[in-house]
Amino acid sequence: MSTLAEVLARETRRGDLYDTLPDGRLRCYACGHCCPLPEGAIGVCKVRFNRGGRLLVPWGYVGGVQCDPIEKKPFFHVHPGALAYSFGMLGCDLHCSYCQNWVTSQALRDPQAVSPPLQVSPEALAQDAIRLGARVMVSTYNEPLITSEWAVAVFKEAKAAGLMTGYVSNGNGTPQVLEYLRPWVDLYKVDLKSFDDRHYRQLGGRLQPILDTIRRLHAMGFWVEIVTLLIPGFNDSCDELTRLTEFLASVSADIPWHVTAFHQDYKMTDPDNTTPEMLLSAAEIGRRAGLRYVYAGNLPGEVADLEDTHCASCGEVLIERYGYYIRRYHITSDGHCPSCARGVPGRWGTRFSGQITSRPFVPGSSSRLAVLRM
Ligand code: SF4
């Protein structure tokens, strides 16, 4: 029987995102680590490697598929109520001890993380998404940057079928990977986990490539939303949150910022869970920094009106939510506040098209997905 790493080493294709250095090593640009890889070496992500002077990258499978309400990603300013057909591969370039997707993200580092890969084609994924009524195709669950060649292949089919596309990412990007993605990715969510480089180094990354990526994403015209999981004692100081939100406001005050509640998970079981009061204070810091659209997540019904979208001029409630459920939709067909006519940044349809589900579900009869033999 093969190991998971051996199985995945077979499911590869030559990558696009690399150069050959003068000394013969390969420089991968799929994420901010920019690994220089000598012959036979594997990247920090454990899924891209140099074999025979070619960079081989993951291809032809998913670690999992799920249908999520788009509010779960979370995108709050994109077609509220839409179904987001979500797939992930395996592996990550970071190793956060509180990861909520550790079964797929840490599959190659942690023997407890068992997630059998499923063989599938890009066409089959797009057809399955359409069959289920999805409006958006999203690469998520593992870090999509490290599997960008596969994501682009899937997104080409998704776009041909009329779907929007999105990344749910840690934002550890490079200029090269963002240029590569720009024609095929509409929406980009970044987890901005901290504003302290020492914290990022604990997670296996650096702060600066993530800040650079956020600025680039906005400048390049991706629709960007940012999430910060608020972890008591890790990233919740007033000073850190002030610097973080002032940075976001300096990129654009129109970027939605979601501050969400931590619950004990994976290897991070020491900090207490985040309380509603902690979310409310963090949201206040974001508002003081100038952000116009601040949301509190993961504690439905406990965070006052911080699940709702308000007009930034007159305060009118434009979208009322409970968790992922859309209670009321009140934006004009051309994306404005009906009371004062101020434009609302985002990607809106001409009307609210209903909601297929407000809870995630696994597509039961997607028979085109086959478990890879170990
Ligand atoms: S994706 Fe990132 S971690 Fe993986 S090989 Fe490329 S640069 Fe290294």
Side-chain angles (χ1 to χ4, degrees), residues 55-79:
L55 187 77
L56 298 187
V57 304
W59 193 261
Y61 64 90
V62 292
V65 168
Q66 186 168 283
C67 289
D68 290 334
I70 197 164
E71 287 69 26
K72 180 172 183 288
K73 303 292 80 183
F75 288 113
F76 274 20
H77 287 227
V78 179
H79 295 287

Short mmCIF file of all heavy atoms in Angstrom, two decimals, residues 55-79:
data_model
loop_
_atom_site.label_atom_id
_atom_site.label_comp_id
_atom_site.label_asym_id
_atom_site.label_seq_id
_atom_site.Cartn_x
_atom_site.Cartn_y
_atom_site.Cartn_z
N LEU A 55 9.24 21.38 -12.59
CA LEU A 55 8.45 21.51 -11.36
C LEU A 55 7.14 20.76 -11.57
O LEU A 55 6.34 21.12 -12.45
CB LEU A 55 8.16 22.98 -11.05
CG LEU A 55 7.48 23.17 -9.69
CD1 LEU A 55 8.48 23.03 -8.55
CD2 LEU A 55 6.79 24.53 -9.60
N LEU A 56 6.92 19.72 -10.77
CA LEU A 56 5.68 18.96 -10.86
C LEU A 56 4.71 19.45 -9.79
O LEU A 56 5.11 19.72 -8.64
CB LEU A 56 5.95 17.47 -10.70
CG LEU A 56 6.85 16.87 -11.80
CD1 LEU A 56 6.94 15.35 -11.65
CD2 LEU A 56 6.37 17.24 -13.21
N VAL A 57 3.45 19.57 -10.18
CA VAL A 57 2.44 20.20 -9.30
C VAL A 57 1.19 19.32 -9.26
O VAL A 57 0.96 18.51 -10.17
CB VAL A 57 2.09 21.62 -9.80
CG1 VAL A 57 3.34 22.47 -9.91
CG2 VAL A 57 1.35 21.59 -11.13
N PRO A 58 0.36 19.46 -8.21
CA PRO A 58 -0.83 18.60 -8.07
C PRO A 58 -1.80 18.75 -9.23
O PRO A 58 -2.04 19.86 -9.72
CB PRO A 58 -1.46 19.10 -6.77
CG PRO A 58 -0.36 19.78 -6.04
CD PRO A 58 0.52 20.37 -7.09
N TRP A 59 -2.40 17.63 -9.60
CA TRP A 59 -3.29 17.65 -10.78
C TRP A 59 -4.28 16.49 -10.72
O TRP A 59 -3.90 15.36 -10.36
CB TRP A 59 -2.45 17.51 -12.06
CG TRP A 59 -3.23 17.85 -13.30
CD1 TRP A 59 -3.83 16.98 -14.15
CD2 TRP A 59 -3.52 19.16 -13.77
NE1 TRP A 59 -4.46 17.67 -15.14
CE2 TRP A 59 -4.28 19.01 -14.94
CE3 TRP A 59 -3.20 20.44 -13.33
CZ2 TRP A 59 -4.75 20.10 -15.67
CZ3 TRP A 59 -3.64 21.52 -14.06
CH2 TRP A 59 -4.40 21.35 -15.22
N GLY A 60 -5.53 16.78 -11.05
CA GLY A 60 -6.48 15.71 -11.35
C GLY A 60 -7.27 15.16 -10.18
O GLY A 60 -7.94 14.15 -10.33
N TYR A 61 -7.24 15.82 -9.03
CA TYR A 61 -8.01 15.29 -7.89
C TYR A 61 -8.45 16.44 -6.98
O TYR A 61 -8.00 17.58 -7.12
CB TYR A 61 -7.17 14.29 -7.08
CG TYR A 61 -5.96 14.90 -6.41
CD1 TYR A 61 -6.04 15.42 -5.14
CD2 TYR A 61 -4.73 14.96 -7.08
CE1 TYR A 61 -4.92 16.00 -4.53
CE2 TYR A 61 -3.62 15.52 -6.48
CZ TYR A 61 -3.73 16.04 -5.20
OH TYR A 61 -2.63 16.61 -4.61
N VAL A 62 -9.35 16.12 -6.07
CA VAL A 62 -9.72 17.06 -5.01
C VAL A 62 -9.62 16.32 -3.67
O VAL A 62 -9.76 15.09 -3.61
CB VAL A 62 -11.15 17.62 -5.19
CG1 VAL A 62 -11.22 18.52 -6.41
CG2 VAL A 62 -12.19 16.52 -5.28
N GLY A 63 -9.37 17.07 -2.62
CA GLY A 63 -9.40 16.50 -1.27
C GLY A 63 -10.81 16.45 -0.73
O GLY A 63 -11.10 15.71 0.21
N GLY A 64 -11.70 17.24 -1.32
CA GLY A 64 -13.09 17.25 -0.88
C GLY A 64 -13.88 18.27 -1.67
O GLY A 64 -13.31 19.18 -2.29
N VAL A 65 -15.21 18.08 -1.69
CA VAL A 65 -16.14 18.98 -2.36
C VAL A 65 -17.30 19.23 -1.41
O VAL A 65 -17.75 18.32 -0.73
CB VAL A 65 -16.67 18.36 -3.67
CG1 VAL A 65 -17.84 19.14 -4.22
CG2 VAL A 65 -15.56 18.27 -4.70
N GLN A 66 -17.75 20.47 -1.36
CA GLN A 66 -18.90 20.78 -0.51
C GLN A 66 -19.66 21.95 -1.13
O GLN A 66 -19.07 22.82 -1.76
CB GLN A 66 -18.41 21.16 0.89
CG GLN A 66 -19.52 21.37 1.90
CD GLN A 66 -18.98 21.44 3.32
OE1 GLN A 66 -18.64 20.43 3.93
NE2 GLN A 66 -18.87 22.64 3.84
N CYS A 67 -20.98 21.96 -0.93
CA CYS A 67 -21.79 23.11 -1.35
C CYS A 67 -22.01 24.01 -0.15
O CYS A 67 -22.63 23.58 0.84
CB CYS A 67 -23.12 22.64 -1.92
SG CYS A 67 -22.94 21.84 -3.50
N ASP A 68 -21.52 25.22 -0.22
CA ASP A 68 -21.63 26.16 0.89
C ASP A 68 -22.46 27.36 0.49
O ASP A 68 -22.36 27.83 -0.66
CB ASP A 68 -20.24 26.69 1.29
CG ASP A 68 -19.37 25.62 1.93
OD1 ASP A 68 -19.92 24.68 2.52
OD2 ASP A 68 -18.13 25.77 1.86
N PRO A 69 -23.21 27.93 1.43
CA PRO A 69 -23.74 29.26 1.16
C PRO A 69 -22.56 30.22 1.01
O PRO A 69 -21.55 30.07 1.73
CB PRO A 69 -24.56 29.59 2.41
CG PRO A 69 -24.27 28.55 3.41
CD PRO A 69 -23.54 27.42 2.76
N ILE A 70 -22.64 31.16 0.10
CA ILE A 70 -21.50 32.04 -0.14
C ILE A 70 -21.14 32.83 1.12
O ILE A 70 -19.99 33.23 1.31
CB ILE A 70 -21.76 32.96 -1.35
CG1 ILE A 70 -20.44 33.55 -1.83
CG2 ILE A 70 -22.79 34.04 -1.02
CD1 ILE A 70 -20.50 34.14 -3.20
N GLU A 71 -22.11 32.98 2.01
CA GLU A 71 -21.86 33.68 3.28
C GLU A 71 -20.85 32.93 4.15
O GLU A 71 -20.25 33.51 5.05
CB GLU A 71 -23.17 33.85 4.05
CG GLU A 71 -24.13 34.88 3.49
CD GLU A 71 -24.75 34.50 2.17
OE1 GLU A 71 -24.86 33.28 1.87
OE2 GLU A 71 -25.11 35.43 1.40
N LYS A 72 -20.66 31.63 3.89
CA LYS A 72 -19.73 30.86 4.72
C LYS A 72 -18.27 31.14 4.33
O LYS A 72 -17.37 30.93 5.13
CB LYS A 72 -20.03 29.36 4.58
CG LYS A 72 -19.11 28.47 5.41
CD LYS A 72 -19.59 27.03 5.38
CE LYS A 72 -18.74 26.14 6.26
NZ LYS A 72 -17.41 25.89 5.71
N LYS A 73 -18.05 31.64 3.10
CA LYS A 73 -16.64 31.76 2.63
C LYS A 73 -15.78 32.68 3.48
O LYS A 73 -14.60 32.34 3.63
CB LYS A 73 -16.65 32.20 1.16
CG LYS A 73 -17.41 31.26 0.25
CD LYS A 73 -16.81 29.90 0.05
CE LYS A 73 -16.96 28.85 1.01
NZ LYS A 73 -16.35 27.58 0.88
N PRO A 74 -16.14 33.82 4.02
CA PRO A 74 -17.40 34.52 3.76
C PRO A 74 -17.21 35.60 2.70
O PRO A 74 -16.27 36.38 2.78
CB PRO A 74 -17.69 35.19 5.12
CG PRO A 74 -16.34 35.46 5.70
CD PRO A 74 -15.38 34.44 5.12
N PHE A 75 -18.14 35.63 1.73
CA PHE A 75 -18.29 36.82 0.88
C PHE A 75 -19.67 37.39 1.19
O PHE A 75 -20.68 36.72 0.94
CB PHE A 75 -18.19 36.45 -0.61
CG PHE A 75 -16.79 36.08 -1.04
CD1 PHE A 75 -16.49 34.79 -1.45
CD2 PHE A 75 -15.78 37.03 -1.07
CE1 PHE A 75 -15.21 34.44 -1.86
CE2 PHE A 75 -14.49 36.69 -1.48
CZ PHE A 75 -14.21 35.39 -1.88
N PHE A 76 -19.70 38.58 1.74
CA PHE A 76 -20.98 39.23 2.08
C PHE A 76 -21.41 40.23 1.01
O PHE A 76 -22.55 40.68 1.03
CB PHE A 76 -20.88 39.94 3.43
CG PHE A 76 -21.16 39.03 4.62
CD1 PHE A 76 -21.09 37.66 4.53
CD2 PHE A 76 -21.53 39.59 5.85
CE1 PHE A 76 -21.36 36.84 5.63
CE2 PHE A 76 -21.81 38.79 6.95
CZ PHE A 76 -21.73 37.41 6.85
N HIS A 77 -20.50 40.59 0.11
CA HIS A 77 -20.85 41.59 -0.91
C HIS A 77 -20.85 40.96 -2.30
O HIS A 77 -20.52 41.63 -3.28
CB HIS A 77 -19.87 42.77 -0.86
CG HIS A 77 -20.08 43.67 0.32
ND1 HIS A 77 -20.13 45.04 0.24
CD2 HIS A 77 -20.30 43.38 1.63
CE1 HIS A 77 -20.34 45.55 1.44
NE2 HIS A 77 -20.43 44.56 2.31
N VAL A 78 -21.18 39.69 -2.38
CA VAL A 78 -21.23 38.99 -3.67
C VAL A 78 -22.49 38.13 -3.68
O VAL A 78 -22.63 37.21 -2.87
CB VAL A 78 -20.01 38.08 -3.86
CG1 VAL A 78 -20.11 37.35 -5.20
CG2 VAL A 78 -18.70 38.85 -3.78
N HIS A 79 -23.42 38.46 -4.56
CA HIS A 79 -24.63 37.65 -4.77
C HIS A 79 -25.12 36.96 -3.48
O HIS A 79 -25.05 35.73 -3.37
CB HIS A 79 -24.38 36.60 -5.86
CG HIS A 79 -24.13 37.20 -7.20
ND1 HIS A 79 -25.12 37.79 -7.96
CD2 HIS A 79 -22.99 37.35 -7.91
CE1 HIS A 79 -24.62 38.25 -9.08
NE2 HIS A 79 -23.32 38.00 -9.07
#
